[in-house]
Amino acid sequence: MNTAKIGIVSISDRASSGIYEDKGIPALQAWLQGALLNPCEFETRLIPDEQTLIEDTLKALADTNHCDLILTTGGTGPAPRDVTPEATLAVADKVLPGFGEAMRAVSLKYVPTAILSRQVGVVRGNSLIINLPGQPKAIAETLDGVFAAVPYCIDLIGGAYLETNPEVIQAFRPKSSIKTTIAV
């Protein structure tokens, strides 16, 4: 089974300066460890809301660390310092509008302020980059709503074959794309 190489970037001025404890990275790691059957290798970063730093971090995780999946948390609202979507789009090779649309649709079931979210999903090289909300509860709700499409997207861009725990999330792949693993 392939090791899933996953970048997790928590973007917060206050958490990165130690004003409060970051909860995004642990929430993402816990959700992914429950959802994926693959062994996971995490590359984590806690950085402030600085567009150039976010861009450089995403480029390094995709181009140098060769992460199959890069998830960001925070910085997607309308506040002046929320620049995660701008940084993500600046490093993108391809934009996948369906991710942003689906994430907002999922969040709208829980809070009317979901319409203020500017989350995006993009491809850079062989990496899928998805912006997620900043709160652990919202992270889990959003991933529950969109992650079924993630493994097949990563297949299509040349990343690791990710297998999911069907008790948490059932990955969708066309039948012709499903690999069977044989336990020995």
Side-chain angles (χ1 to χ4, degrees):
M1 187 176 296
N2 293 327
T3 297
K5 191 149 192 184
I6 301 172
I8 298 176
V9 184
S10 185
I11 300 160
S12 168
D13 288 333
R14 292 177 289 170
S16 67
S17 65
I19 294 172
Y20 65 75
E21 179 185 355
D22 174 66
K23 295 185 179 175
I25 291 172
L28 280 164
Q29 286 178 314
W31 192 94
L32 289 162
Q33 287 171 326
L36 291 173
L37 297 176
N38 303 64
C40 295
E41 181 181 321
F42 294 109
E43 291 284 338
T44 62
R45 308 288 186 273
L46 175 57
I47 61 174
D49 290 277
E50 297 291 341
Q51 184 168 340
T52 303
L53 180 57
I54 298 167
E55 289 176 23
D56 291 345
T57 300
L58 296 176
K59 287 181 203 174
L61 289 170
D63 303 346
T64 305
N65 297 100
H66 306 289
C67 292
D68 302 297
L69 175 63
I70 302 166
L71 300 174
T72 70
T73 177
T76 60
R81 297 233 358 117
D82 290 339
V83 294
T84 302
E86 287 80 6
T88 304
L89 292 169
V91 304
D93 294 330
K94 294 181 180 179
V95 178
L96 302 172
F99 276 104
E101 295 162 7
M103 289 187 285
R104 282 183 286 282
V106 166
S107 295
L108 198 52
K109 294 175 186 176
Y110 300 100
V111 293
T113 54
I115 61 174
L116 303 177
S117 175
R118 301 177 311 110
Q119 300 155 327
V120 298
V122 306
V123 173
R124 179 180 175 88
N126 299 104
S127 300
L128 172 61
I129 305 171
I130 302 172
N131 302 150
L132 294 167
Q135 296 301 315
K137 183 175 185 272
I139 289 169
E141 292 165 351
T142 303
L143 286 173
D144 288 345
V146 302
F147 200 83
V150 168
Y152 184 55
C153 181
I154 292 172
D155 294 349
L156 293 172
I157 62 174
Y161 188 85
L162 301 182
E163 297 185 54
T164 57
N165 176 351
E167 293 178 14
V168 177
I169 193 90
Q170 179 68 51
F172 175 83
R173 288 182 169 95
K175 288 181 182 178
S176 61
S177 299
I178 298 172
K179 295 179 183 178
T180 56
T181 55
I182 301 170
V184 180

